[in-house]
Amino acid sequence: MSRVEVSNADTGTTSSSPALWTEHEPLRLKRDQKEVRAFAPLLEYQSPSEDGLPHGGWVGELPRWPFDRPQPERLDELLGPRELKVLIAYSAAHPMVPPLIYPIYPEPSVWEETQSAWHVAPGGSLCLLQSDGGWQPEASLTELLAKASGWRIEYALMKAEVIDRMSVNGLVSDPAHDHLIKEAGQQKTVTSDFAGKEGTNVPG
């Protein structure tokens, strides 16, 4: 990371402070903002802040099915009314290093962070790339966001015990789990209906 020299006229000394990527890559910042707002209008950009995101980022909700194929039946029943809410943290080396995406809702448990099957790293960020070389600096941030939306669906399938580990490629390009969404959503609906009927049959 490059540094900026700051002069102190009173002491005659100079000190250095980190230079933000947003200052060195203004065109990339503008591109990110344009693409992210088109892909996920409910995400809000966060400027770099010492008491928050030191290199900037995004906070808000992602779309539940941003893929180039028909949305499976029962997806809404599987996921419920709430969307995936995330915090996206840029690194000092963006775009050479991909941002970290943290799910705020649903929030994985500490135990799930220790199990590779859930694709969550210790510390809570999502594991969305198969390898360190899986990110290319020229890639759009929306590619990661789409993977995060797919993670949300597979997380629900894991919770419903329909699958025992998330897919290697993710739902963006792999439709292998699509047919399970209807099954899991229907199962969830039946369970909710049964619980509702049980609740109404309370002896007087």
Side-chain angles (χ1 to χ4, degrees):
M1 176 172 57
S2 46
R3 307 182 77 84
V4 175
E5 297 294 329
V6 180
S7 298
N8 187 320
D10 294 333
T11 63
T13 61
T14 59
S15 61
S16 61
S17 59
L20 298 172
W21 76 268
T22 52
E23 297 172 355
H24 284 280
E25 298 278 356
L27 294 180
R28 176 58 191 240
L29 173 61
K30 186 175 181 179
R31 173 191 163 188
D32 277 9
Q33 291 175 329
K34 179 180 179 180
E35 293 177 346
V36 170
R37 285 168 178 156
F39 179 87
L42 297 181
L43 281 179
E44 295 184 1
Y45 175 68
Q46 309 294 305
S47 298
S49 171
E50 291 183 1
D51 58 355
L53 294 167
H55 307 291
W58 299 81
V59 176
E61 297 178 347
L62 294 180
R64 59 177 53 193
W65 190 262
F67 313 126
D68 294 329
R69 59 184 187 274
Q71 176 176 311
E73 295 181 44
R74 301 285 186 173
L75 177 65
D76 292 338
E77 287 86 346
L78 173 64
L79 300 184
R82 297 182 64 181
E83 306 297 347
L84 170 62
K85 185 174 184 180
V86 297
L87 181 148
I88 302 162
Y90 283 120
S91 74
H94 186 75
M96 301 304 295
V97 177
L100 294 178
I101 300 180
Y102 297 87
I104 298 174
Y105 176 85
E107 183 180 10
S109 68
V110 174
W111 179 83
E112 289 166 356
E113 292 179 11
T114 67
Q115 308 299 309
S116 61
W118 296 83
H119 289 191
V120 184
S125 63
L126 299 182
C127 297
L128 301 173
L129 301 170
Q130 296 182 38
S131 66
D132 293 338
W135 168 259
Q136 299 299 320
E138 65 274 13
S140 173
L141 175 54
T142 60
E143 293 181 22
L144 281 183
L145 301 185
K147 289 178 180 292
S149 292
W151 174 90
R152 167 69 176 102
I153 296 169
E154 291 197 286
Y155 184 78
L157 292 174
M158 291 280 285
K159 286 292 193 180
E161 299 183 349
V162 175
I163 58 176
D164 58 9
R165 65 174 45 251
M166 294 187 177
S167 61
V168 174
N169 297 320
L171 291 184
V172 176
S173 58
D174 186 355
H177 287 164
D178 286 10
H179 71 286
L180 298 175
I181 293 172
K182 179 179 179 180
E183 176 185 329
Q186 189 168 11
Q187 173 184 311
K188 191 170 183 179
T189 300
V190 170
T191 301
S192 298
D193 290 346
F194 179 78
K197 292 177 180 178
E198 285 289 296
T200 59
N201 296 331
V202 179

